[in-house]
C-alpha cells in the first residue's frame, strides 16, 4: 500500500485516510484508516485542511477487529502515560502524537 497526499478536490468518498491528519495545533482531526465520506471532506475544508494523505493500492485496506483493538490498546497505554499531563498544551499534543506514531511503527 502506498500513501500519497492529495488535494481535497481529488479525494473521493470511499478512499481511506492513510495517516493521521492534524490541525495546525497538533490535534488529531482524523485517524489513519478513516473511510472518507462527504461529511469528512466538508469537515476537512471547514478545518482549513487543503490536502490529506490517502492510501493508494489495488487491495482493500485491512480493517480487522484485531487491528482496531491493537490501536485502542496503544491509545489506552498512552492515555495512562499522559494522565497527569495537560493534553490541551500544543507541546504535549505533539509529543503524544509522536509517541503514538512511534508505537504504531514498532508494531
Amino acid at each position: 500500500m502506498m500513501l500519497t497526499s492529495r488535494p481535497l478536490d481529488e479525494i473521493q468518498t470511499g478512499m481511506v485516510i492513510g495517516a493521521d491528519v492534524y490541525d495546525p495545533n497538533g490535534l488529531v482531526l482524523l485517524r489513519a484508516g478513516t473511510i472518507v465520506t462527504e461529511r469528512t471532506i466538508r469537515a476537512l475544508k471547514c478545518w482549513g485542511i487543503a490536502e490529506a494523505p490517502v492510501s493508494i493500492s489495488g487491495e482493500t485496506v485491512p480493517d480487522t477487529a484485531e487491528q482496531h483493538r491493537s490501536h485502542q490498546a496503544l491509545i489506552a497505554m498512552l492515555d495512562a502515560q499522559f494522565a497527569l499531563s495537560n493534553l490541551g498544551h500544543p507541546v504535549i499534543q505533539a509529543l503524544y502524537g509522536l509517541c503514538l506514531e512511534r508505537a504504531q511503527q514498532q508494531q
Side-chain angles (χ1 to χ4, degrees):
M1 182 176 358
M2 185 174 95
L3 290 180
T4 181
S5 191
R6 290 195 172 182
L8 286 186
D9 294 342
E10 294 179 16
I11 295 177
Q12 301 172 2
T13 59
M15 289 183 164
V16 177
I17 298 297
D20 291 349
V21 177
Y22 298 90
D23 74 359
N25 294 323
L27 290 173
V28 176
L29 299 175
L30 293 174
R31 294 276 181 205
T34 300
I35 297 173
V36 175
T37 64
E38 287 296 326
R39 184 177 181 193
T40 307
I41 295 169
R42 283 193 312 271
L44 288 171
K45 287 179 181 178
C46 288
W47 288 320
I49 305 298
E51 57 184 33
V54 291
S55 299
I56 304 296
S57 78
E59 57 196 52
T60 59
V61 174
D63 187 35
T64 64
E66 181 181 329
Q67 286 177 328
H68 181 70
R69 282 191 301 273
S70 175
H71 182 73
Q72 292 302 94
L74 285 175
I75 297 293
M77 177 194 69
L78 284 176
D79 286 349
Q81 290 177 341
F82 282 80
L84 300 177
S85 301
N86 177 2
L87 290 175
H89 193 280
V91 173
I92 300 299
Q93 291 171 358
L95 181 59
Y96 184 98
L98 289 171
C99 290
L100 180 60
E101 184 178 320
R102 177 97 186 242
Q104 289 172 330
Q105 290 172 351
Q106 291 177 349
Q107 283 188 328

